[in-house]
Amino acid sequence: MLEIKALGHTYADGHRALTGIDLGLERGELVCLVGPSGCGKSTLLRCIAGLQRPTEGTVLLEGQAVERVPDGLAVVFQDYTRSLFPWLSVRDNVALVLRRRGLARAARRAAAEEALEAVGLAAAARKYPWQLSGGMQQRAAIARALAYRPQLLLMDEPFGSVDAQTREDLEDLLLSVRGDHGMTILLVTHDIDESVYVGDRVVVLTGAPGSVHTDLPVRLPSPRDQIGTREDPAFVALRAEVGRAVRRT
Amino acid sequence: MKAARRIAGRVWLAVLLLAVWELAARTADDLYFPPPTEIASAVRELWWSGPASRLFLSDKALDDFGPSLTHLLVGWALAAALGIAVGVAIGLSRVLAELFDPVLQVGRAIPPPTLIPFFMVVFGLGTDMQVATIVFGAVWPVLLNTVDGVRGVDPLHLDAARVFGLSRTTRLFRVVLPAAAPKAAAGLRVALGFALILMVIAELMGAGGGIGAHLNDAERGFRPVELWAGIALLGIIGYVLNGIFLLAERRFIGHHRERQA
Ligand SMILES: Nc1ncnc2c1ncn2[C@@H]1O[C@H](COP(=O)(O)OP(=O)(O)OP(=O)(O)O)[C@@H](O)[C@H]1O
Ligand SMILES: [Mg+2]
């Protein structure tokens, strides 16, 4: 569904952020992207989202070159505190993007409340984003992206600011909605355990300029289970392998 | 009790200054510097001695501020509409911005009162000339602040709007305008002050009627107390307009302010 060919990006100031990236995602796949800070993960997501034009190579979505923001795409931005609209309540932030799904006003609000409930924010629906903690804002941004029901979901360190328990809940939520709506997901994370736990594949990028270092398939039984999967020897072995790859970058 | 103390905390200096002024004026006993109590009673006499059914406004009050304030508000509203519409267009389009930049730089540098003689020639003495003067003077702060506000929209907000497929109109009304609103509102408030100033200047230069005409009459008839009363009245009107504006601003875009708190 998504194909990235020989993608490279050099910023206007001459900084080379990415080089020679080749990567493909099948429909319905969940691929995790890990790599050292500053290796160009966010840059790669922005190129895929059509927010930024790569200086080299192409991004193909369903065989079509991405030249502007494609339809049916959602992004959870890394800078989640700035990506929600401060003049709208949390619920209206989510409801606003549902116009695209062609829902009437009341249906949009209901769908928004449902999405907020799924991330544990039902009680905060009427608050403004700046009245929420960092982790709550991050969950609101996730709810907005999930409620949109995208075909392709790009998530840039979406669980960075939440506590361990909530993080596990959100990982499981992601695994379940993905089955429900058949989304393709590309998730950037710094957490090696997380990448192995949620991913069908883990792609490790090298340090700047970023390029694909390792592309590991994760063959673990589903449905995954926070306790059981994590003590599975296959999980432990994979985690070690990803860890070694990250170290070698 | 607490509220009383807060109010006391805010007004004691004003009260003290008035008292000092009163004392000084009574001691000096100068015709040109009447004590504030005399000015206050002149204000009451001139404008607030009417029937209760009209909020005590006298006939002269209706004559003096009715048309003046109407012109002020009409002029300000036109300036607001024009300033916001053009400001948004310029703020969104680099081409328009470059095209209009010289016009804006020169236009805002022209002191609006200097255009009054020209507007007198075009529109004659009266309402149109006064409104045109107010619009010309008040449009700049609205326009320039709106441009600034629109340009200052967080790029990540625009990215989010694009990613989630918001249409151009939705983007304009739900993202760009709310983001620019606090700056535009600051411009509107400055514009309201300008509008009041230009209203009086136009009247002083002969727009016909209004508080400016009252000031001219008082000056020609050599009635310093009435002159002072007119000045005091303008101060009060400016204060009240600003207060109303701040209330409306808090009501409509209050959540922007609280964000910083
Ligand atoms: N607008 C820009 N202009 C110039 N250089 C930039 C710009 N944006 C990012 N960079 C540089 O590109 C490199 C990659 O940035 P990017 O944000 O993609 O990294 P990242 O992998 O997402 O890092 P992190 O894990 O810390 O989020 C960094 O060295 C950064 O300094
Ligand atoms: Mg990043």
Side-chain angles (χ1 to χ4, degrees), chain A residues 11 13 15 17 35-44 78 156-157 190:
Chain A
Y11 278 103
D13 63 0
H15 182 86
S37 179
C39 75
K41 303 179 295 294
S42 298
T43 305
L44 179 59
Q78 181 171 18
D156 203 344
E157 291 179 38
H190 276 304

Side-chain angles (χ1 to χ4, degrees), chain B residues 20-35:
Chain B
V20 170
W21 181 7
E22 179 80 30
L23 260 169
R26 290 212 181 273
T27 327
D29 195 23
D30 186 328
L31 190 58
Y32 296 106
F33 295 98

